[in-house]
Amino acid sequence: MNARVKKIAVVTGAGSGIGRSVALTLAAAGWAVALAGRRTEALEETAAAARAAGTPGEDGAPGADVLCVRADVSDPDDVAALFAAVRGHYGRLDLLFNNAGTFGPAGVALEDISYEAWRSVVDVNLTGSFLCAQAAFRVMKAQDPQGGRIINNGSISAHVPRPNSIAYTATKHAMTGLTKSLSLDGRPYRIACGQIDIGNAATEMTERMQSGIMQANGQLAVEPVMDAADVARTVLHMAELPLGANVQFATVMATAMPYIGRG
């Protein structure tokens, strides 16, 4: 690893959206970033942008140190291979941004959701987050110096649901429990864990916000969105705190979205 890089991060779901934005922001701040996701081409696009965003070292070498690892976070073997690759390439891990997620089928009524659709959301959002957190925890506990930080991507849906979103909402409520347990179990090993709950960041997943999305009263309404870079700056702040300090929960949202007063 280039000596100028102080810390190592893993970002899951790094091929697009919030994951890509966070990866670019970390790279620009001097982090080495391992990019994980299911689409190799999308990861390479993020990697190219991250290298361009990285600050050249004193020797004039190119910017960010970036590693692409294709991984499906719901697959235990893929997750094990991801963290083995990071450990082998960098020798340690300072940050996991546990970001990979899926909303599931849009607009499907609760009574019509198939078992397969329910399971696919749970496998990615909850089981995938657990598998990555567990693997990161093992690395952080064993390394010297010991410790690190895990930041989970929650959601406004960790607090309040949208109509027809039971699988996504259930997993995001569960993410809060995952965060709290990781925080408690990580204390003896200097492993800090926090959660960022995001509302209406402008990404591929939230495009329908700008054309009209179902409200609690059954009507469609266009909702305000914010730049994903606003989320990334918050993640960077959380990531760069000393391990003796932690942002346990942060909510970052489009100011005028229907969250306060939703319904």
Side-chain angles (χ1 to χ4, degrees):
M1 184 187 71
N2 192 311
R4 68 183 175 83
V5 176
K6 296 180 180 180
K7 292 185 178 181
I8 313 301
V10 169
V11 177
T12 66
S16 62
I18 290 168
R20 175 174 286 180
S21 185
V22 168
L24 298 184
T25 298
L26 289 169
W31 288 67
V33 187
L35 309 171
R38 291 182 291 186
R39 297 175 296 144
T40 301
E41 184 176 347
L43 293 179
E44 292 294 348
E45 290 173 358
T46 301
R51 292 186 183 106
T55 304
E58 294 179 359
D59 58 358
D65 181 352
V66 184
L67 175 70
C68 292
V69 183
R70 198 219 69 84
D72 178 346
V73 299
S74 67
D75 184 327
D77 292 336
D78 276 14
V79 172
L82 164 63
F83 286 88
V86 171
R87 190 170 60 251
H89 188 78
Y90 294 114
R92 65 173 291 108
L93 176 62
D94 299 289
L95 172 69
L96 165 65
F97 181 46
N98 224 353
N99 168 72
T102 181
F103 192 81
V108 179
L110 185 153
E111 64 271 23
D112 296 326
I113 295 174
S114 67
Y115 170 78
E116 290 76 18
W118 164 270
R119 182 64 183 268
S120 68
V121 176
V122 172
D123 283 351
V124 173
N125 293 5
L126 181 55
T127 303
S129 293
F130 162 73
L131 290 172
C132 289
Q134 183 186 52
F137 195 100
R138 287 169 174 161
V139 175
M140 293 171 180
K141 180 180 176 181
Q143 66 193 7
D144 184 18
Q146 191 178 61
R149 189 179 306 273
I150 298 169
I151 300 175
N152 291 325
N153 183 347
S155 171
I156 294 297
S157 292
H159 304 273
V160 291
R162 289 187 177 277
N164 301 326
S165 68
I166 192 167
Y168 183 80
T169 299
T171 59
K172 291 304 184 178
H173 274 66
M175 183 72 86
T176 300
L178 185 72
T179 298
K180 291 178 178 178
S181 284
L182 285 166
S183 296
L184 181 58
D185 293 345
R187 283 180 187 174
Y189 312 110
R190 300 182 71 247
I191 299 173
C193 183
Q195 179 170 314
I196 183 166
D197 294 326
I198 302 163
N200 287 16
T203 67
E204 297 89 336
M205 187 179 287
T206 61
E207 285 179 351
R208 65 188 187 281
M209 308 291 180
Q210 300 173 68
S211 58
I213 188 168
M214 183 74 71
Q215 304 296 302
N217 62 4
Q219 296 179 350
L220 293 178
V222 174
E223 295 188 8
V225 297
M226 63 176 174
D227 196 312
D230 298 326
V231 176
R233 282 193 292 271
T234 306
V235 173
L236 178 64
H237 167 69
M238 296 168 72
E240 294 199 327
L241 288 171
L243 290 178
N246 187 42
V247 175
Q248 189 66 69
F249 293 98
T251 301
V252 183
M253 52 179 267
T255 302
M257 71 169 288
Y259 168 50
I260 302 301
R262 182 183 285 194

